[in-house]
Structures are given as C-alpha cells and as structure tokens.
Amino acid sequence: MCVAAIMCLCTIQMMAENVINVVPTRLTAGTEGILELWMSNEEAVKWAEFDIRLPEGITITEWDFEGSRLNNQTTGTTSYELKRAMSEDFEKEEYRLVSTDESAYIPEGTGLVVRLHVAVDNDVSTDMHNIYADSYTFFTDRKTFPKITSCSYLIVGEPEQLDFSQLTDFVPSFVVDQLNNETKLTTTSYDFTKITGLGGIITPRNPNALMYFKEGTQAATLMNGNDSHNVVVGNYCNYLVITDGYDYSVPKGFTAKDAFYKRNAPSGFGTVVLPFVPNPKPKNIQFYELAPEANTDPGYLTFDEVDNPKHECPYIYSATENNFSAMDVEIFPTGEVEEVASQDGWTMAGVYTKQVFTPETDNIYALSNGKIYHNAGSLTVNPFRAYFHTSTTYNEVKGVCIGKTSAIQSLEIIDGMGEKRYNLAGQRVGNDYKGIVIENGKKILTK
C-alpha cells in the first residue's frame, strides 16, 4: 500500500470571523492517522461548534489535546471536552468543543486546539479527497459569528498530478510550505482562480508549471510583486520562463509580455518543438521541416529550410546560440503537436512531455547531437524534442538531406543491438523477445 501524501489546502481567509481549520498530516491507507484542528480567532471564545465531513472510508476514532494550546490550560478545575452534538444532516459529524469551567476560554489567535485520530480503510483510493469543516464559534455573551466553510484536501497515495480547481478563499502559509515541499508533485498547471489570498510564495516542483490567478486578488498581487515567473493573472503573464527538459502544458491560453525558452545549442543538428512563435526571428538559428516529397534514395529523409517557424510544429534545427524569446506573444493551449508527413510513409512528430518508446511500438527514430537513435531498445524523447516514425515494415532511416543543397548527410545510427529482429507482425523487437522472430530474412524461435 502506498504511503499517503497529505496536502492541506484550506479555504480560510484571515478575517475577523472565528473559524476552524482542518489540517491533515500524512496518512496511510489501512492504518490510523491524525487530523489537527486549528482555530483562527481574533478573540478568545467560550466554546466552538463545528461539522466535519470526511471522505468515505475515513472515520474519527478518538481525540486528544497533545501539543495544543488547550493542553496547558487543562487543570483540575479547567478541562475541555469534545462532545458529539445531534445533527439532522446524517452526512455530517457535528462536534462541540466545550469547557467544564465557565471562566475558561479558548485562547485567541491561530493555533492547535485538538487532535483527531482517524481510521483509514484499506479501500480508500489513491487520490485527492475533500475534507470540510462548517464551523462557527460563540463568545460568552452568546454572540454568534457567521458560519464559514473550511476545506482541506487529503491526498492518499503519491499521485504526481493534482487538480486545484476547487481550492477557494485563503491558502495559509503552512499549506504553501507543504505544496512547495511535495517532491513527487509534477503538476504542470495550478488553477488558483478561486482563491483570494496566499500566506506565502508558491514555487512549484516543476519549473514549467503555470499558476492561474484571478485579477484583483491578494494572491495575484503577492505572486506578481515577487517577480515570480509563469504567473498568469486573468489572461496575461508578465514573465514566462520555459525550462528545457521538464514537462509543459497550457490548459488555457494567454498573452505573455516576455517569453523565454533556453536550451543548449546542439552539436550538429537537433530537433525542437517551439511552445511559442519567437520574435524577432532568432539569429544564427536555422529551422528545417520534413519535406512532403519522398527522397530518391531509400532510407534518407529530406528537410527544407523554413523562414518563419511556427509553434507546435516539429523541426530539425542547427544553431550557434540557444535562446528563443518573444515579446507580447500569444501563448496557445497545448494540444496535439502538428505532425508532418512525407510521401514515403515517414512522419515527424514532437512532444511537450517525456515519452518512452519500446521496440513494440512503430519504427521510432530520434535525432540528437548529430546522431540518429532507434528504438531497438528503449528510446526516450524529452520535452520540446521531435522524432520520426513509420508503420512500414523494415523501413529504416540511414540519413537526412538538409537544406537546399543536394548533399546527403549520412548520420551515425545508434541502434543498441546487433542484428535487427522483427516479430511476425513486422514490429522491431529486442534481443530479449521470446517467440518466433525474423532475423536476416529467416524465422527463428527464441526462448
């Protein structure tokens, strides 16, 4: 069973209202864990009443005051009890935190009040689950404050992607810290458009992650004021920085005042898929597109020079510099990268997320640092790169013809294996393949 990764994303805005925050810690499915109740109250309160809605399969078993502010106040005459109140809504568990001493108060200010021990069923799925606390508090003068809903997100397992679109109101600093420290999190976009404020600066684990905020909020002002990159406020981003080698995704398009994509210039020829149209056109960089016509020499691919490269289109390129930039450029939602086909059955495609190809897939070739790599074994194509593929049996790449010259570039083929083998379906297979294979035109049974 995976170890649970818990991230608390509370929806509390630090205002005058007295509210309760539910703070999860790490849980493991099939065991017990602890949730903490923190109070955000500007004045001391006599008692607090709140409803808790936990995910199905997670139940409260007991509670204690260990490490809480109330623990130090618990004496022989002053103690607190967590009582279950009657509720007509059977989907909620309603509790009341009360003191047996009429002179006692729950102290003001944010702090731990009580710890809830919870049991987690084995069948709780590896995913993100909601925790809600509808809370309100009373002073000794019986003054009632407006009811506020606190929302946390409990994560079971270790998912690499999360959906933050339901996050609302204020995200406190301890939540931001948990978000920044989740080493497994590779989410490529954060939808924070429903939140109003942040208790700290968010620095995603994936440097290409986009963070979307609503205009006019404290959260948007804080992030932009810190000169953070990849912050989209409304439909505008001041500073877009794309880091080579990390996954990239744009769920919603926007305009970037300044956009940058940087990578090491290839030795010889390399491939690229651009996330935006560079302007002005980069100097000392040449782009080449797969030509639609077939080359007269079998196994060689023809590429024509392109004057104005497009976004989401795969190219071969050569360069003596490595910066792609643009000003006031439109950033489009990422979709399927355009595929360019030639008459002899070859297609050039690109990726924004890392792809791994095995011999069971179509014939896959990739160009890097002036060499051609084949998926005779495992072939990895990194983000912002392109590859060539064909479903034609036995079709192989031997080299490329680049530019307007008639010269043929015969490139070194990195195969990863000796004799080429195919299964009966005509697919390239590795040496570890078991069954009937075709090698040098002969059928061979491998065990």
Side-chain angles (χ1 to χ4, degrees):
M1 190 64 63
C2 293
V3 176
I6 304 302
M7 185 178 302
C8 165
L9 298 176
C10 300
T11 65
I12 303 306
Q13 188 169 1
M14 301 302 184
M15 300 173 63
E17 292 88 350
N18 294 271
V19 293
I20 292 176
N21 302 331
V22 183
V23 183
T25 54
R26 292 186 179 270
L27 301 179
T28 303
T31 65
E32 290 191 348
I34 294 176
L35 306 180
E36 296 180 344
L37 263 62
W38 291 66
M39 289 200 65
S40 173
N41 52 300
E42 294 186 352
E43 301 180 53
V45 298
K46 181 61 181 176
W47 53 276
E49 186 175 87
F50 48 90
D51 304 326
I52 297 179
R53 286 176 284 171
L54 297 175
E56 185 176 354
I58 300 179
T59 55
I60 296 175
T61 57
E62 59 179 311
W63 57 275
D64 63 49
F65 291 123
E66 185 176 342
S68 76
R69 294 177 303 160
L70 299 185
N71 192 42
N72 296 332
Q73 295 188 161
T74 303
T75 65
T77 58
T78 304
S79 63
Y80 292 86
E81 296 177 323
L82 187 67
K83 296 183 177 180
R84 181 171 294 186
M86 297 297 293
S87 175
E88 295 181 358
D89 188 345
F90 294 104
E91 293 183 358
K92 300 179 182 179
E93 294 288 350
E94 186 174 285
Y95 294 87
R96 179 173 294 182
L97 185 63
V98 300
S99 171
T100 58
D101 185 346
E102 293 184 359
S103 64
Y105 291 86
I106 298 175
E108 69 279 358
T110 302
L112 175 60
V113 176
V114 65
R115 301 194 318 167
L116 302 176
H117 296 251
V118 296
V120 187
D121 290 350
N122 280 309
D123 58 356
V124 175
S125 62
T126 299
D127 203 350
M128 181 169 64
H129 305 270
N130 292 331
I131 303 176
Y132 293 103
D134 295 331
S135 63
Y136 53 91
T137 60
F138 294 81
F139 291 103
T140 52
D141 61 3
R142 319 305 289 178
K143 180 179 179 182
T144 303
F145 276 73
K147 195 169 186 178
I148 302 295
T149 298
S150 169
C151 178
S152 295
Y153 291 102
L154 182 151
I155 303 174
V156 177
E158 295 185 353
E160 296 182 354
Q161 300 289 318
L162 292 177
D163 177 12
F164 300 105
S165 61
Q166 300 306 309
L167 181 63
T168 60
D169 295 333
F170 187 87
V171 181
S173 58
F174 59 84
V175 175
V176 175
D177 290 341
Q178 287 181 324
L179 180 64
N180 292 341
N181 292 329
E182 280 296 330
T183 58
K184 296 289 185 180
L185 195 60
T186 59
T187 304
T188 53
S189 65
Y190 292 36
D191 183 355
F192 291 141
T193 54
K194 294 182 181 178
I195 73 169
T196 56
L198 284 172
I201 301 298
I202 296 176
T203 54
R205 305 297 300 184
N206 182 346
N208 288 338
L210 296 171
M211 295 170 283
Y212 292 81
F213 295 89
K214 185 179 179 181
E215 295 177 276
T217 62
Q218 179 267 353
T221 301
L222 176 66
M223 294 297 292
N224 270 337
N226 189 59
D227 293 329
S228 299
H229 62 270
N230 299 356
V231 175
V232 182
V233 179
N235 296 313
Y236 196 78
C237 176
N238 283 331
Y239 193 40
L240 177 68
V241 178
I242 299 173
T243 302
D244 187 53
Y246 289 87
D247 288 353
Y248 169 79
S249 177
V250 182
K252 180 183 177 182
F254 56 90
T255 299
K257 178 181 179 181
D258 293 298
F260 299 90
Y261 165 57
K262 183 177 181 179
R263 65 185 272 190
N264 293 329
S267 174
F269 296 102
T271 62
V272 67
V273 178
L274 295 174
F276 56 82
V277 179
N279 69 61
K281 181 184 176 182
K283 296 180 179 179
N284 302 318
I285 299 180
Q286 288 76 44
F287 295 91
Y288 305 92
E289 185 177 53
L290 180 64
E293 65 273 8
N295 195 290
T296 55
D297 295 316
Y300 287 87
L301 304 179
T302 301
F303 289 82
D304 295 333
E305 187 169 357
V306 175
D307 292 329
N308 298 304
K310 301 180 295 183
H311 77 286
E312 294 190 350
C313 187
Y315 298 102
I316 284 180
Y317 85 113
S318 62
T320 56
E321 64 179 52
N322 57 3
N323 289 323
F324 301 88
S325 62
M327 298 180 60
D328 296 319
V329 65
E330 185 175 358
I331 305 299
F332 299 92
T334 49
E336 293 294 329
V337 176
E338 181 178 342
E339 294 195 2
V340 181
S342 64
Q343 291 178 354
D344 49 356
W346 285 98
T347 300
M348 188 176 186
V351 297
Y352 283 133
T353 58
K354 183 171 70 173
Q355 302 288 326
V356 178
F357 298 98
T358 62
E360 286 71 31
T361 60
D362 291 342
N363 255 339
I364 303 293
Y365 288 83
L367 174 66
S368 179
N369 295 324
K371 298 178 181 180
I372 294 178
Y373 294 81
H374 183 238
N375 67 324
S378 178
L379 176 64
T380 298
V381 180
N382 288 319
F384 311 105
R385 305 297 194 273
Y387 62 92
F388 319 110
H389 70 95
T390 180
S391 58
T392 304
T393 305
Y394 310 127
N395 207 352
E396 299 175 355
V397 172
K398 299 177 181 178
V400 295
C401 178
I402 297 177
K404 296 180 179 179
T405 175
S406 59
I408 296 291
Q409 303 282 340
S410 294
L411 304 178
E412 180 182 359
I413 308 296
I414 310 299
D415 215 13
M417 63 182 295
E419 296 296 333
K420 299 177 176 59
R421 294 184 171 192
Y422 303 86
N423 61 22
L424 293 180
Q427 297 170 320
R428 189 74 174 273
V429 297
N431 289 331
D432 58 349
Y433 181 84
K434 306 301 181 184
I436 298 177
V437 298
I438 299 174
E439 183 176 313
N440 293 327
K442 298 179 181 181
K443 291 183 180 180
I444 300 174
L445 176 62
T446 59
K447 300 180 179 180

